[in-house]
Amino acid sequence: MTAHVRIGTRGSALALTQTGTVESDLIDATGVTTEIVTITTDGDRSREPLSRAGGTGLFTGALRDALQEDRCDVVVHSLKDLPTAPHDDLVVAAIPVREDPRDALCARDGLTLAELPQGARVGTGSPRRMAQLRRKRPDLDVVDIRGNVDTRLGRVREGDLDAVVLAAAGLNRLGRASVITEHLELGPWPTAPGQGALAIEVRRGDEELVARLNHPETRAAVEAERHVLALLEAGCSAPVGAHAVVDAGLLLLSARVYSLDGQTVLSSAHAIDWPDEDAVLRVAEGVARELLDAGAADLTGARP
């Protein structure tokens, strides 16, 4: 075991908080000493809305470069930002226990989504969330926004927006859960594949550095979600929501694909015994095939 581990991360408050949790858990599990290496990504530099920025690798490419160039030994990603295609030289060696995967509405005056007035301005940078908002409340003015958590919440506080939709996991990790006015439940409102989970990536062959932090049930669930995204050939910014869970010996997976205007939605759900060989891939293949047969390629650009 390496006595000193350099952990690469983005420099945002949320990324540093997430990485700090991983650092503490790694020290507790292995007794190593650690060092945080802060890296600026293309997503940190860009001010272009995520819906137009080509999100794949936007927040992860520079971290991966640093790992390959031996400027750090481990990198911590928000799993939903990580491209689904496998990397030749790097591997996700651990996925810790998942935080709350739900989306959260943060609205003025304690309002819920149903209580927002007609024409209310709701901000998000996610095409999936935009589609879900337009489907649920076509009367809302959905605003494409960028910025960190505090910047987005500040626009509600200042009155520029009536509400924003954020990941509950990030708010919980930052100690900001008190700003949530409604949790959007996963049944009617599935979230991004992997949302709420962290990915700890290393150079291939160095898996033992962080292997003790891996949580098998979380890993099975989020990998099933991400396999659907990969099989649909949809990027991490596509209007696809998915949720999986391991429960009572079953791996249950559901997914939805939306048109950007929210008018069309395709759904599929499958379950399979777990743990079972190839369960993750087989359940994802069942869901993806059903979605493609229903016309998901027309919504995501995938090839049937």
Side-chain angles (χ1 to χ4, degrees), residues 15 34 112 297 304:
T34 58
T112 66

Side-chain angles (χ1 to χ4, degrees), residues 7 26 38 44 66 74 107 169 188 197 243:
I7 305 175
L26 186 61
T38 303
D44 298 316
V74 170
H243 181 62

